[in-house]
Amino acid sequence: MKLIFLGAPGAGKGTQADIFAAKLGIPTISTGNILRAAIADGTETGKKAKSYMDAGQLVPDEVILNIVKERLEQPDCQKGYILDGVPRTLAQAQALEEMGVTFDKVISLEVSDESIVNRMSGRRVCAKCGAPYHIAAKPPKTEGVCDACGGALIQRKDDAAETVLDRLRVYHAETEPLKAFYAQRGVLETVQGDGASIEETTQAVSQVLGL
């Protein structure tokens, strides 16, 4: 089964991708991870990507998509895969299609902006050991102190409300149009994630996948 999870930052894409990768016995292909791997392996495309990164530039779509294509040709992807972090834009989705990369289902996790801001701005991490917390969903025993190592809990810049709102604006402008693109191809399924627990969302995704 070849899948994409779409959704705003903080909608739970990564969590659900990991759950279904384990359920289906297929890999999650994260652009960040394969980019690092291609650079470490010194592949031609990896070297190209590294030259852009060393110059402090964004790696162009063409290079990223070639790295994705190379990764999808590996033996562990024969039974399927879940793409994480790509495509982010219509141009990337069209380019993947032209490369012959198609999907059985594209799952859009629908969560309101308000819920996303509450969800992400409540996140805390331990400055010492990196353990994750949430002030509402997973609070520490003592406020501001890590249960595991006693380190101070901090809010990452990425999770601050103003940063989250910026990321949501980018998502609505650049990534949300992918829903219409995949709906036209008859593969889009929407799952309501607002107010749902991880287990409830997993159950809803299982239903639309017929599992």
Side-chain angles (χ1 to χ4, degrees), residues 108-112 189-197 200-201 204-205:
S108 178
L109 299 177
E110 303 290 324
V111 182
S112 69
E189 299 284 355
T190 56
V191 168
Q192 290 303 325
D194 237 349
S197 66
E200 286 164 343
T201 305
V205 174

Side-chain angles (χ1 to χ4, degrees), residues 43-191:
T43 68
E44 276 312 306
T45 325
K47 285 178 193 161
K48 219 180 253 184
K50 190 174 185 300
S51 68
Y52 285 103
M53 288 159 84
D54 288 349
Q57 296 171 330
L58 281 175
V59 182
D61 278 2
E62 182 197 349
V63 177
I64 297 240
L65 295 175
N66 275 324
I67 287 175
V68 170
K69 191 166 186 288
E70 283 171 10
R71 178 67 187 87
L72 298 184
E73 285 163 359
Q74 300 293 317
D76 65 336
C77 290
Q78 295 311 300
K79 285 199 305 179
Y81 45 80
I82 298 172
L83 278 193
D84 178 14
V86 69
R88 276 186 198 278
T89 62
L90 272 178
Q92 288 183 354
Q94 286 159 344
L96 281 174
E97 195 168 76
E98 282 160 19
M99 287 175 167
V101 178
T102 57
F103 302 95
D104 299 311
K105 292 282 181 203
V106 175
I107 311 288
S108 178
L109 299 177
E110 303 290 324
V111 182
S112 69
D113 286 7
E114 191 185 350
S115 296
I116 297 274
V117 172
N118 290 339
R119 200 181 273 191
M120 292 181 75
S121 58
R123 286 179 180 175
R124 299 290 182 271
V125 292
C126 175
K128 218 163 157 186
C129 74
Y133 293 88
H134 191 281
I135 54 175
K138 192 189 171 190
K141 292 189 184 88
T142 308
E143 194 179 335
V145 181
C146 176
D147 295 347
C149 74
L153 300 187
I154 56 165
Q155 183 182 50
R156 293 182 316 181
K157 189 171 174 284
D158 265 8
D159 295 332
E162 56 273 27
T163 312
V164 175
L165 286 168
D166 278 342
R167 291 172 69 193
L168 283 169
R169 275 192 285 275
V170 172
Y171 168 75
H172 292 308
E174 295 184 1
T175 308
E176 204 161 29
L178 291 176
K179 293 200 298 198
F181 178 84
Y182 287 115
Q184 284 172 347
R185 281 145 186 79
V187 293
L188 183 78
E189 299 284 355
T190 56
V191 168

